[in-house]
């Protein structure tokens, strides 16, 4: 198919100051509602695609980059100007340093370390279809895996949309904007913290800025598979497949599904953009000890989609969690997506190292804190047989009464679920972390709970709830909306009385599973002393020994406690941590920030998970 468009490329002979685009020099400098024109259209969950195993074109190399502290580019509409070597300008989108995406600016130059604001990525694409079969390239989908926090996209001088959310994918059909053999692509990213954002202004991790995940182009036909859900039927006897196309089709589309390991080849119909089929075969269930995956091939019209999918059942009854009908103890660890050299940028090698350390610890369960991690994490966990808690950054104090904040959180949750719905390793969606129990917050989180259950009725909901420090009980009304109760407790560290942990566990009467979603103490790797000296490895190790003496009484079959995810696997950056031994780092890692040096406490937890308890 050949696409033909009329040219609308902007051609300007006037200087920047005299241009009608930005008004005269005085007007654009004093315009303070300039962002209003860049709030719509929104790029949200409705355009999210599940690419499965589609092969993309990686366009991450050769980007020009410039910070823009005063948003001059949006005020003055830099994206509309042609290059003019004879006109002095404060910014030229096609000059400047050459960078590759993924990239975070904080670790690129020392002076950008704490920079919060706008920055521009610019690139000229030489015929975006060059890497594809031009005869079959009906549509092009742009996917940005993660950009912190707002991401505004401009193609050949046209504003095509804005995406909000640092860690969920931004997917957009850009076909109608590709009008020339050379295409100007400009992306304005802004990581400013605001009260309205998810998360808001106050967090406990580093606010990296930039496009920190891959940027891809996908070739698809006019009618393409946008999302696919492959799971067990509600009665768990067979396999249910749901296919959603990018748009409603006037005539029915024939579709076929092949699962070769199950000797399945079945035809079904897609009408009005959606179709479903039941495969009357019983797959072998995915287990951590046997993470079996099935290759699923789906053809719908001219489109072809495939993925590797595991089938398993996760349920909660009483104070137990059951995986495939058997109670499961969740020995775990919490992890951040942070790196000494690369910040939020991760890789397959980094993820596999993380999982290797989790295995050495004896962990089978991983809490991904406090935002959606790279989609590679769950894919690799599927292969390696690890169980995952995945969450969105509803964290501490938000503007719960603001409808825009509700929309943002709800959209991020949808984008996360739609991105990862076929990953067997994910067993919990988490709605919030340490949020105070108010009427506005309960209304806010009840909306999210309803969204999660509507999008995915097969997984359990959880959250890190607050303990009432006076009564040592959970009085958080959020427990009515979730299936597994997470609690962050630091008895013996921030709360000095370690015996209060035992009182809390004795008082726990809820008929729902309980999971310690955080517990830990700071220690600097290599700093040694006795158990009475704060910030030493010995103090941290003793903290965990004291925790274990109490927790083991209530763990597994002997009590309501189904698991622990200590805080945290690796030390990570946190600007609010500024004591002498912290210097901008949260030092609660069982391993130092070099991701190599294990602290004494690592072995203490490893012994506990293997059944060796301190006396």
């Amino acid at each position: 198919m050949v696409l033909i468009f009329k040219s609308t490329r902007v051609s300007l002979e006037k200087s920047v100051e005299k241009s009608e685009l930005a008004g005269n020099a005085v007007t654009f400098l004093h315009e303070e509602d300039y962002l209003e024109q860049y709030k719509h259209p929104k790029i949200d969950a409705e355009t999210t695609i599940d690419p499965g195993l589609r092969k993309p074109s990686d366009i991450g190399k050769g980007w020009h980059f410039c910070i823009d502290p005063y948003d001059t580019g949006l005020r003055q509409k830099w994206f509309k100007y042609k290059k003019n070597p004879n006109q002095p300008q404060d910014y030229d989108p096609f000059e400047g340093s050459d960078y590759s995406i993924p990239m975070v600016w904080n670790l690129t130059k020392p002076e950008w370390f704490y920079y919060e604001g706008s920055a521009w990525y610019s690139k000229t694409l030489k015929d975006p279809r060059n890497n594809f079969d031009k005869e079959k390239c009906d549509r092009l989908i742009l996917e940005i895996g993660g950009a912190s926090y707002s991401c505004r996209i401009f193609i050949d001088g046209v504003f095509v949309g804005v995406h909000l959310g640092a860690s969920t994918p931004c997917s957009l059909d850009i076909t109608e904007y590709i009008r020339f053999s050379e295409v100007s692509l400009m992306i304005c990213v802004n990581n400013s913290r605001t009260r309205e954002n998810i998360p808001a202004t106050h967090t406990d991790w580093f606010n990296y800025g930039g496009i920190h995940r891959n940027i891809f182009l996908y070739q698809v036909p006019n009618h393409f598979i946008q999302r696919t859900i492959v799971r067990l039927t509600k009665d768990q006897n067979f396999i249910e497949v749901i296919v959603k196309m990018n748009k409603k089709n006037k005539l029915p589309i024939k579709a076929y599904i092949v699962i070769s390991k199950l000797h399945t080849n079945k035809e079904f119909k897609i009408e009005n953009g959606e179709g479903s089929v039941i495969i009357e075969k019983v797959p072998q269930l995915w287990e951590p000890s046997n993470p079996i995956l099935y290759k699923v091939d789906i053809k719908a019209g001219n489109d072809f989609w495939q993925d590797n999918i595991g089938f398993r059942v996760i349920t909660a009854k009483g104070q137990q969690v059951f995986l495939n009908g058997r109670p499961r103890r969740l020995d775990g660890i919490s992890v951040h997506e942070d790196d000494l050299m690369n910040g939020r940028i991760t890789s397959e090698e980094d993820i596999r190292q993380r999982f290797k350390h989790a295995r050495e610890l004896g962990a089978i369960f991983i809490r991904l804190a406090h935002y959606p991690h790279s989609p590679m994490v769950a894919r690799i966990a599927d292969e390696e047989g690890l169980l995952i808690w995945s969450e969105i950054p509803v964290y501490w104090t938000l503007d719960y009464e603001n409808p825009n904040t509700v929309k943002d959180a709800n959209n991020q949750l949808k984008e996360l679920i739609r991105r990862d719905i076929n990953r067997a390793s994910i067993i919990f969606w988490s709605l919030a972390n340490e949020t105070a129990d108010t009427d506005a917050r309960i209304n806010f989180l009840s909306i999210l709970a309803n969204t999660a259950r509507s999008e995915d009725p097969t997984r359990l909901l959880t959250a890190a709830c607050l303990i009432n420090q006076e009564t040592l009980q959970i009085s958080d009304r959020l427990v009515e909306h979730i299936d597994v109760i997470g609690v962050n407790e630091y008895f013996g560290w921030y709360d000095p009385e370690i015996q209060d942990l035992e009182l809390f566990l004795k008082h726990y009467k809820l008929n729902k599973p309980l999971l310690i979603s955080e517990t830990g103490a700071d220690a600097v790797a290599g700093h040694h002393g006795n158990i009475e000296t704060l910030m030493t490895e010995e103090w941290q190790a003793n903290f965990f020994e004291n925790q274990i003496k109490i927790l083991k009484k209530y763990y597994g079959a002997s009590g309501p406690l189904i698991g622990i995810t200590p805080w945290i696997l690796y030390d990570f950056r946190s600007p609010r941590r500024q004591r002498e031994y912290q210097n901008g780092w949260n030092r609660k890692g069982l391993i130092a920030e070099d991701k190599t040096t294990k602290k004494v406490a690592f072995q203490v937890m490893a012994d506990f998970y293997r059944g060796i308890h301190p006396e």
Side-chain angles (χ1 to χ4, degrees):
M1 177 179 178
V2 179
L3 299 172
I4 301 174
F5 297 92
K6 292 183 179 180
S7 172
T8 58
R9 185 187 286 269
V10 176
S11 178
L12 298 175
E13 301 299 330
K14 296 180 180 179
S15 69
V16 171
E17 274 67 22
K18 292 182 179 180
S19 166
E20 295 176 0
L21 290 174
N24 61 45
V26 174
T27 300
F28 86 79
L29 289 174
H30 292 273
E31 188 68 54
E32 290 305 323
D33 61 352
Y34 63 93
L35 278 179
E36 291 301 314
Q37 62 192 302
Y38 304 114
K39 289 185 175 180
H40 300 281
K42 285 281 197 311
I43 305 170
D44 57 21
E46 299 313 307
T47 65
T48 298
I49 68 164
D50 174 9
L53 299 178
R54 294 183 194 271
K55 292 183 179 179
S57 172
D58 189 336
I59 58 170
K61 295 188 181 301
W63 288 80
H64 301 287
F65 176 81
C66 179
I67 64 169
D68 183 14
Y70 299 103
D71 268 345
T72 307
L74 293 175
R75 294 170 184 268
Q76 199 176 15
K77 300 182 177 65
W78 283 342
F79 50 89
K80 285 187 176 288
Y81 291 94
K82 292 180 67 176
K83 186 176 180 64
N84 185 348
N86 299 315
Q87 172 64 45
Q89 295 177 194
D90 295 319
Y91 172 82
D92 188 327
F94 303 104
E95 289 184 355
S97 300
D98 193 343
Y99 290 97
S100 291
I101 294 173
M103 172 260 202
V104 292
W105 60 64
N106 314 81
L107 302 180
T108 304
K109 290 185 178 181
E111 59 267 33
W112 294 345
F113 186 69
Y114 285 116
Y115 176 67
E116 295 187 1
S118 287
W120 291 79
Y121 295 81
S122 305
K123 181 182 177 78
T124 298
L125 299 177
K126 304 286 187 180
D127 191 348
R129 295 181 180 81
N130 272 346
N131 294 327
F132 298 119
D133 182 341
K134 294 183 182 181
E135 294 301 317
K136 296 180 180 179
C137 185
D138 295 330
R139 312 207 70 77
L140 286 177
I141 307 297
L142 175 69
E143 182 183 73
I144 301 171
S148 180
Y149 175 80
S150 65
C151 174
R152 292 178 168 86
I153 300 172
F154 304 85
I155 301 177
D156 278 334
V158 177
F159 172 54
V160 301
V162 57
H163 179 265
L164 301 179
S167 304
T168 49
C170 168
S171 304
L172 182 66
D173 183 344
I174 62 170
T175 311
E176 65 181 279
Y177 304 103
I178 307 299
R179 299 178 171 120
F180 307 99
S181 60
E182 286 193 359
V183 178
S184 167
L185 179 57
M186 297 179 68
I187 303 171
C188 180
V189 176
N190 187 297
N191 72 328
S192 299
R193 291 167 295 134
T194 75
R195 183 86 166 87
E196 192 174 282
N197 284 7
I198 305 293
T201 56
H202 191 196
T203 66
D204 195 12
W205 64 90
F206 197 90
N207 183 31
Y208 292 107
I211 303 177
H212 58 90
R213 294 191 185 135
N214 290 324
I215 180 165
F216 288 150
L217 284 177
Y218 289 96
Q219 168 198 339
V220 292
N222 272 322
H223 285 79
F224 64 89
I225 298 171
Q226 183 173 354
R227 292 192 288 127
T228 302
I229 301 170
V230 185
R231 63 194 180 196
L232 293 176
T233 54
K234 192 173 183 180
D235 60 12
Q236 301 161 22
N237 289 331
F238 302 121
I239 297 171
E240 175 186 29
V241 179
I242 301 171
V243 175
K244 300 190 179 186
M245 307 296 287
N246 62 311
K247 56 185 177 180
K248 293 182 179 180
N249 43 293
K250 294 180 180 178
L251 298 174
I253 294 176
K254 280 187 179 181
Y256 304 88
I257 181 167
V258 175
I259 307 177
S260 55
K261 278 186 182 179
L262 295 177
H263 306 290
T264 294
N265 187 337
K266 193 165 185 178
E267 179 181 327
F268 63 104
K269 189 183 296 184
I270 295 176
E271 296 182 287
N272 296 317
E274 186 169 332
S276 62
V277 62
I278 301 297
I279 307 298
E280 295 182 349
K281 295 288 181 73
V282 182
Q284 188 175 347
L285 296 184
W286 182 96
E287 290 268 2
S289 59
N290 184 27
I292 184 169
L293 300 175
Y294 291 84
K295 190 171 114 174
V296 177
D297 297 331
I298 297 175
K299 188 177 187 303
N302 295 323
D303 197 19
F304 179 74
W305 180 96
Q306 65 179 187
D307 207 346
N308 296 316
I309 295 174
F311 300 94
R312 52 97 192 97
V313 181
I314 188 74
T315 56
K317 185 177 181 181
Q319 294 181 334
Q320 295 289 319
V321 164
F322 296 83
L323 179 65
N324 300 331
R326 294 187 296 277
R328 187 79 213 192
R329 172 171 151 164
L330 300 176
D331 297 337
I333 188 67
S334 296
V335 299
H336 257 297
E337 197 170 52
D338 198 358
D339 187 84
L340 177 63
M341 302 304 296
N342 298 313
R344 284 291 302 277
I345 300 170
T346 192
S347 64
E348 180 177 348
E349 180 184 12
D350 180 46
I351 294 165
R352 291 195 187 277
Q353 180 187 23
R354 196 179 313 162
F355 288 175
K356 177 175 175 288
H357 282 141
R359 294 282 196 190
E360 291 174 2
L361 186 67
I364 196 68
F365 175 62
I366 296 178
R367 180 189 181 193
L368 304 181
H370 281 296
Y371 39 76
H373 288 215
S374 166
M376 288 189 291
V377 174
R379 283 193 172 276
I380 296 171
D382 276 8
E383 296 172 18
E384 297 197 7
L386 291 164
L387 301 168
I388 298 292
W389 157 320
S390 187
E391 66 187 64
I392 59 170
V394 175
Y395 187 91
W396 289 356
T397 303
L398 301 180
D399 191 358
Y400 294 110
E401 296 182 353
N402 188 326
N404 291 327
T405 307
V406 178
K407 286 179 183 177
D408 191 0
N410 209 41
N411 181 66
Q412 288 189 43
L413 181 59
K414 283 184 179 180
E415 288 178 330
L416 171 61
I417 293 174
R418 292 180 182 186
R419 187 194 75 178
D420 290 343
I421 196 163
N422 290 319
R423 304 281 70 83
S425 54
I426 298 177
I427 58 172
F428 299 159
W429 300 122
S430 176
L431 303 179
N433 180 81
E434 295 180 0
T435 54
D437 190 357
T438 65
D439 289 345
R441 173 264 202 173
I442 282 295
N443 291 336
F444 183 106
L445 293 180
S446 66
I447 292 171
L448 298 189
N450 290 337
T451 294
R453 296 196 192 282
S454 173
E455 290 282 327
D456 179 16
T458 70
R459 288 179 174 87
L460 302 177
L461 299 188
T462 189
C465 300
L466 293 173
I467 298 173
N468 186 315
Q469 297 297 317
E470 293 182 1
T471 64
L472 296 177
Q473 295 181 355
I474 298 175
S475 53
D476 192 335
R477 289 174 289 172
L478 181 57
V479 300
E480 300 171 12
H481 299 276
I482 58 180
D483 306 300
V484 176
I485 314 302
V487 291
N488 298 347
E489 59 87 2
Y490 290 90
F491 295 111
W493 182 246
Y494 298 122
D495 304 296
E497 297 298 328
I498 184 64
Q499 293 308 315
D500 283 350
L501 174 59
E502 181 140 29
L503 292 175
F504 162 69
L505 292 170
K506 279 184 177 179
H507 290 162
Y508 184 83
K509 303 300 182 186
L510 295 172
N511 192 34
K512 291 187 177 184
L514 175 68
L515 192 147
I516 303 295
S517 41
E518 290 182 27
T519 188
D522 287 79
V524 177
H527 180 46
H528 295 284
N530 58 43
I531 62 173
E532 297 177 354
T533 305
L534 286 176
M535 307 301 290
T536 62
E537 289 192 37
E538 287 72 21
W539 203 103
Q540 184 190 46
N542 186 63
F543 168 88
F544 279 106
E545 288 174 353
N546 290 334
Q547 285 268 325
I548 290 167
K549 288 175 184 177
I550 295 171
L551 294 176
K552 67 180 183 180
K553 303 175 187 176
Y554 301 89
Y555 209 11
S558 58
L561 189 58
I562 61 164
I564 310 169
T565 55
W567 194 257
I568 191 167
L569 185 60
Y570 303 127
D571 290 350
F572 64 95
R573 286 188 178 92
S574 177
R576 68 187 292 273
R577 307 279 175 166
Q578 293 296 337
R579 289 189 62 188
E580 177 185 1
Y581 288 108
Q582 294 171 315
N583 297 316
W585 290 82
N586 187 313
R587 299 290 185 187
K588 293 184 181 66
L590 301 181
I591 301 175
E593 68 271 22
D594 63 5
K595 298 184 176 178
T596 300
T597 306
K598 295 174 183 174
K599 303 176 191 178
V600 175
F602 184 96
Q603 192 59 49
V604 172
M605 283 306 302
D607 288 345
F608 174 52
Y609 285 159
R610 288 173 174 81
I612 305 170
H613 302 158
E615 296 300 324

